[in-house]
Amino acid sequence: SLLVYGVEEPFDESWEIEINGVAEILEDVPKIKFAVNQLKERNPFAAVGIKANILHQFDIIIIKPLLYMFRKYSEVLDGKKPTIIKF
């Protein structure tokens, strides 16, 4: 599982996303390069890793999602269930 929090003001507008699935450490160099190239526009670390040629120093993990759950804390406080997307 991967859990991502977004803290907002007021606090009840904060949110969380839980992703459940299968994680795999990428070992195939072409797959690693493809994955990191997909991230480089959104993640400055990916761009630096490519430019500095240091990707071999890190484990690159891909998550194949089976289930996404999203909720705002205001919904939790109201007793509502999370939005669920299954694959």
Side-chain angles (χ1 to χ4, degrees):
S1 289
L2 174 67
L3 190 60
V4 179
Y5 293 103
V7 179
E8 307 288 344
E9 289 293 333
F11 184 74
D12 64 345
E13 290 297 313
S14 296
W15 51 269
E16 66 183 30
I17 298 172
E18 182 178 344
I19 303 169
N20 291 303
V22 178
E24 174 187 349
I25 296 176
L26 294 181
E27 296 180 11
D28 183 49
V29 173
K31 287 183 180 180
I32 291 170
K33 287 183 178 180
F34 176 80
V36 175
N37 274 311
Q38 297 299 305
L39 293 172
K40 69 182 180 183
E41 298 299 323
R42 297 178 291 167
N43 183 330
F45 174 78
V48 169
I50 293 168
K51 186 175 181 180
N53 197 27
I54 59 170
L55 295 178
H56 62 281
Q57 296 179 16
F58 303 96
D59 289 329
I60 308 298
I61 301 170
I62 186 170
I63 299 175
K64 298 175 183 175
L66 301 172
L67 177 80
Y68 283 104
M69 289 189 285
F70 173 82
R71 72 170 119 201
K72 291 175 67 174
Y73 290 154
S74 60
E75 295 171 340
V76 175
L77 296 172
D78 290 339
K80 296 179 182 173
K81 294 183 178 183
T83 300
I84 297 177
I85 301 170
K86 295 181 182 180
F87 291 85

